């Protein structure tokens, strides 16, 4: 009786990851059109209002990605052992990071440099050496966002997963645990989840006194980090590993899960209704304290609720969904160049900024999955990694 449960669990979580991947594409597709005020590789003068969309997304979807990624980690470690586990993670995360840092992101940054910074023309090799790697002098009136230009872009998520995986493997070596065999223990009560959310929300507020939302720094000099959301990311990663060991997702009561979906949906609805416009607050302020709690409860509600929703209605698979699920990771890696190229093309279309956002989103999703399936996953080395 156990095997069908495992298969069903994997299918609905795969489908949830597909939905999250689509939301990530939409989030990045909207960057130049939604007046986000953050750095992006393409700029436009015509904008629309997407602030609530960005804020709600940022408040939960990467935390849910971390939870789902960690959920499969304990079984992988149990099956492979420390050595093979680390080798697998270094290949799966490290190689895309290295290629992204050395090839993909420099090309994107060069396009931004030549299109929007207003400096004299420069060849890509000169840009790569002197500006991207910072081996030359800093140009006058530098427009940022930082010097030098090197960064990991959207691959920061993979960078964090690699770092968390290394920490996880180290802790497993220090504190050996039994392999997963169907451990006892019910899903946490809602009162426990409330206490958890209050604690994470309080820690988030304290962090945002010094590091408000959208302030990125290089943790340990190289790990691209927005500390404002790290308490959520780390705690949900830990929650994912615990959920796997205790099989919480199989034991999550539907009534409790849908109740938390209502909580998360209501809090997200408050933002979409324009009743909460303090998402950029940081510092020692009541607004920042409330928003930290609001966002954390919304995150917990949507994460628990969406898992419940997909467990009940998203467990049926079809060939196209199976192919999309297999290409989710590769699609995440390559979607930004695709989206940026579409944003350049769409600038000439005689439509509104919101319509451009919709079209770039739809074509970006389609292009990411098609290139992943028909090109990347057909390459032997890429297939093993991705």
């Amino acid at each position: 009786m156990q095997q069908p449960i495992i298969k069903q669990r994997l299918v609905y979580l795969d489908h949830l990851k597909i939905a999250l991947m689509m939301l990530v594409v939409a989030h990045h597709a909207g960057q130049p059109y939604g007046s986000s005020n953050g750095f992006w590789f393409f700029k436009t003068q015509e904008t629309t209002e997407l602030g609530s969309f960005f804020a709600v997304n940022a408040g939960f979807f990467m935390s849910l990605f971390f939870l789902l990624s960690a959920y499969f980690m304990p079984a992988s470690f149990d099956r492979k052992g420390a050595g093979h586990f680390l080798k697998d993670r270094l290949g799966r995360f490290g190689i895309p990071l290295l290629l992204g840092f050395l090839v993909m992101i420099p090309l994107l940054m060069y396009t931004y440099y030549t299109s929007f910074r207003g400096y004299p023309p420069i060849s890509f090799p000169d840009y790569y050496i002197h500006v991207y790697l910072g081996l030359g002098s800093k140009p006058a009136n530098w427009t940022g966002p930082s010097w030098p230009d090197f960064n990991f872009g959207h691959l920061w998520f993979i960078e964090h997963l690699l770092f968390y995986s290394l920490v996880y493997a180290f802790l497993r070596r220090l504190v050996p645990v039994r392999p997963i065999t169907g451990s006892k223990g019910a899903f946490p009560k809602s009162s426990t989840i409330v206490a958890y959310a209050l604690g994470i929300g309080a820690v988030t507020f304290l962090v945002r006194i010094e590091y408000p939302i959208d302030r990125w720094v290089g943790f340990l000099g190289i790990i691209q980090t927005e500390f404002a959301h790290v308490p959520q990311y780390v705690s949900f990663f830990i929650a994912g590993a615990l959920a796997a060991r205790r099989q919480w997702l199989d034991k999550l009561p539907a009534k409790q899960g849908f109740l938390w979906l209502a909580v998360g949906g209501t809090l997200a609805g408050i933002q979409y209704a324009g009743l909460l416009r303090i998402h950029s607050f940081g510092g020692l302020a009541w607004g920042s304290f409330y928003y930290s709690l609001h966002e954390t409860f919304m995150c917990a509600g949507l994460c628990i609720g969406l898992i419940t929703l997909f467990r009940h209605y998203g467990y049926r698979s079809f060939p196209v969904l199976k192919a999309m699920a297999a290409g989710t990771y590769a699609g995440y890696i390559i979607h930004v160049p695709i989206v940026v190229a579409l944003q350049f093309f769409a600038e000439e279309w005689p439509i509104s900024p919101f319509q451009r956002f919709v079209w770039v989103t739809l074509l970006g999703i389609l292009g990411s999955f098609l290139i992943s399936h028909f090109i990347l996953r057909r390459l032997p080395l890429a297939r093993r990694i991705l």
Side-chain angles (χ1 to χ4, degrees), residues 236-258:
F236 275 79
F237 183 87
I238 294 172
L242 289 175
R245 299 211 64 82
R246 302 177 182 180
Q247 297 189 348
W248 279 343
L249 301 193
D250 295 330
K251 301 171 183 176
L252 169 57
K255 182 177 180 180
Q256 184 182 7
F258 284 117

Side-chain angles (χ1 to χ4, degrees), residues 201-213 215 228 278-292:
V203 173
T204 298
F205 164 69
L206 293 175
V207 170
R208 290 179 182 179
I209 293 175
E210 182 66 25
Y211 297 97
I213 293 175
R215 180 180 175 184
I278 56 174
H279 65 274
S280 63
F281 271 39
L284 194 62
W286 281 110
S288 178
F289 177 72
Y290 173 74
Y291 190 79
S292 298

Side-chain angles (χ1 to χ4, degrees), residues 26-256:
H27 188 86
H28 289 148
Q31 289 299 310
Y33 309 120
S35 301
S36 66
N37 297 320
F39 171 79
W40 188 245
F41 304 102
F42 174 79
K43 289 184 177 181
T44 184
Q45 298 300 318
E46 297 181 278
T47 61
T48 187
E49 179 53 52
L50 295 174
S52 296
F53 177 71
F54 293 143
V56 171
N57 292 345
F60 88 95
F61 68 165
M62 297 313 296
S63 295
L64 184 49
F65 254 135
F66 278 115
L67 188 153
L68 296 178
S69 299
Y71 187 77
F72 297 96
M73 198 166 292
S76 178
F77 190 96
D78 292 345
R79 185 174 64 255
K80 298 175 181 178
H84 287 291
F85 174 83
L86 288 174
K87 181 180 179 181
D88 173 75
R89 297 293 148 166
L90 287 171
R92 182 168 173 78
F93 299 147
I95 293 176
L97 274 176
L98 190 62
L99 291 176
F101 179 79
L102 294 178
V103 181
M104 182 171 63
I105 301 301
L107 289 171
L108 287 169
M109 293 302 298
Y110 177 69
T111 302
Y112 175 79
Y113 182 94
T114 56
S115 300
F116 303 110
R117 277 187 171 144
Y119 292 111
I122 184 176
S123 68
F124 178 72
D126 282 343
Y127 166 81
Y128 193 96
I129 294 170
H130 297 108
V131 181
Y132 185 74
L133 297 180
L135 300 180
S137 58
K138 184 178 179 180
N141 302 316
W142 180 247
T143 56
S146 61
W147 174 262
D149 254 357
F150 70 76
N151 65 88
F152 285 93
H154 64 294
L155 302 180
W156 68 266
F157 170 65
I158 300 174
E159 192 181 16
H160 280 237
L161 279 181
L162 177 58
F163 179 71
Y164 297 169
S165 299
L166 295 176
V167 173
Y168 176 82
F170 175 74
L171 294 177
R172 284 289 302 266
R173 293 290 290 175
L174 285 181
V175 186
V177 297
R178 294 179 179 178
I180 300 172
T181 57
S183 56
K184 299 179 180 179
F187 188 83
K189 295 180 179 179
S190 288
S191 58
T192 303
I193 298 172
V194 168
Y196 159 83
L198 287 172
I200 299 302
V203 173
T204 298
F205 164 69
L206 293 175
V207 170
R208 290 179 182 179
I209 293 175
E210 182 66 25
Y211 297 97
I213 293 175
D214 284 335
R215 180 180 175 184
W216 292 81
V217 300
F219 177 59
L220 300 178
I222 192 65
I223 302 176
Q224 192 169 304
T225 306
E226 184 201 24
F227 277 115
H229 283 110
V230 165
Q232 289 182 11
Y233 297 158
V234 172
S235 63
F236 275 79
F237 183 87
I238 294 172
L242 289 175
R245 299 211 64 82
R246 302 177 182 180
Q247 297 189 348
W248 279 343
L249 301 193
D250 295 330
K251 301 171 183 176
L252 169 57
K255 182 177 180 180
Q256 184 182 7

Side-chain angles (χ1 to χ4, degrees), residues 249-383:
L249 301 193
D250 295 330
K251 301 171 183 176
L252 169 57
K255 182 177 180 180
Q256 184 182 7
F258 284 117
L259 174 62
W260 277 102
L261 180 62
V263 171
T266 299
L267 293 175
I270 289 173
Q271 290 190 237
Y272 274 112
L275 302 178
L276 187 63
R277 297 182 177 273
I278 56 174
H279 65 274
S280 63
F281 271 39
L284 194 62
W286 281 110
S288 178
F289 177 72
Y290 173 74
Y291 190 79
S292 298
L293 293 178
H294 178 105
E295 187 182 65
T296 305
F297 273 91
M298 180 188 72
C299 182
L302 290 177
C303 288
I304 296 171
L306 288 173
I307 288 171
T308 306
L309 185 69
F310 274 75
R311 190 185 66 184
H312 278 73
Y313 301 107
Y315 61 88
R316 295 185 182 277
S317 187
F318 304 93
V320 65
L321 291 177
K322 185 177 180 179
M324 291 174 71
T328 300
Y329 180 52
Y332 178 87
I333 293 172
I334 65 170
H335 82 275
V336 167
I338 295 170
V339 164
V340 172
L342 288 168
Q343 288 164 344
F344 272 96
F345 282 118
E347 189 68 5
E348 304 300 322
W349 299 347
I351 55 179
S352 70
F354 183 80
Q355 289 173 317
R356 289 194 184 100
F357 159 62
V358 173
W359 276 110
V360 170
T361 296
L362 295 176
L363 294 176
I365 291 171
L366 183 64
S368 298
F369 281 109
L370 288 178
I371 292 175
S372 170
H373 180 72
F374 288 106
I375 298 179
L376 289 182
R377 290 184 53 79
R378 303 290 174 95
L379 304 175
L381 179 59
R383 185 177 181 88

